[in-house]
Amino acid sequence: MIPSQRAYIKLSLLVLTIIATTASSVCYAGAAFVGYSQSEQSTLVSNQILGFSPKGTSALLSFDLTQDWSLSVDYTKLNDTQIAVNNATGELEVSSWGVGVSRYVNDWSISLSYSDWHDDLVILLNNNLVFLDQATRSPSTSFSVAYDWEQGSWQFGLSAGAHYSDWQQISFSPDRTNINPQSIDEGKSTFISIALSTAKLIEIEQVGNMIIGSSFSWNQLTDSDSMAVSRNGRNISRISNRTSSNISNIAGIIGTESYGQLSFYLSYDITDNVSVDVESTFDVGGEQNTQAWSLNFGYFF
């Protein structure tokens, strides 16, 4: 990890700490979650698909600033190492942070969020020479409107929104036969999404409450403007075909295809203030269907 990356992460954590400290002194209520998650991601290296299972930790802070407004911040970091062709080593690191604000009016809610996704892939040959060094970054903005209603012990939700990302992928391949070792692929992508969610509260006497839920969302790619250039200005083709789930689908991040996501979760209240939940997410409808899971502990205050 280069010094600028370390400084970026330290700055992000400092901002999260300041927000948490400030908001906790003025908010009506809030929640803090820490978790462990694992996802799937694949990349094409020398005509061989190299499968990664990046795993790591995540954190989420949520605050009700007033009865009608809420603020949330999150940070996730995942990594994995795999053996590629000819005993080469592939190292993948994924990190993201985000901040969002929501406004509630009766059964309606309006949300606006910003997130920044970083994806770094390094392929080292058995002599520790770099075969491929690829970095993807995708800052994005999302807007959604949701309506929730209850029927008995069930709760239902319907939401629609738009997602806009301005992504860039820089690849460096110091191959002696490659005249232009560095290439840049960048573009803008817009998605329109719709989601349906369900949840049911199960009351267990003398034990606690349990919530089971599921959701399905479809993200339709409506506009994608990609421009791939090399150092001397010549156009190049896409180097890799990679997908990821958990936080986001990287096919959606770099605007390559429409995709859907199906998720299931179970949440259990250990005490009135402490809960544990497990969630599993599946990408559907794309060229490659991947899955992810996470285990989270939450504290409500």
Side-chain angles (χ1 to χ4, degrees), residues 28-153:
Y28 282 72
F33 285 86
V34 292
Y36 178 87
S37 61
Q38 178 176 315
S39 64
E40 295 179 352
Q41 186 162 315
S42 61
T43 186
L44 185 64
V45 179
S46 298
N47 297 321
Q48 177 186 355
I49 295 179
L50 184 60
F52 289 95
S53 298
K55 47 191 172 292
T57 57
S58 61
L60 169 68
L61 296 172
S62 177
F63 308 99
D64 294 334
L65 301 179
T66 69
Q67 294 181 347
D68 301 321
W69 288 90
S70 69
L71 172 70
S72 64
V73 291
D74 62 83
Y75 179 79
T76 300
K77 184 175 181 179
L78 313 173
N79 56 71
D80 188 29
T81 300
Q82 294 291 329
I83 303 299
V85 293
N86 298 324
N87 293 323
T89 302
E91 299 177 357
L92 175 68
E93 181 175 284
V94 178
S95 63
S96 72
W97 66 271
V99 58
V101 61
S102 298
R103 171 80 160 92
Y104 300 94
V105 181
N106 297 324
D107 295 329
W108 292 88
S109 63
I110 302 174
S111 300
L112 178 65
S113 62
Y114 175 85
S115 63
D116 201 349
W117 169 286
H118 289 256
D119 181 332
D120 297 309
L121 171 67
V122 177
I123 304 295
L124 299 174
L125 301 178
N126 52 15
N127 54 4
N128 289 327
L129 294 178
V130 176
F131 175 76
L132 173 65
D133 189 343
Q134 182 173 272
T136 304
R137 184 187 179 190
S138 179
S140 61
T141 303
S142 300
F143 173 81
S144 65
V145 178
Y147 178 76
D148 298 290
W149 70 97
E150 296 181 359
Q151 186 172 350
S153 59

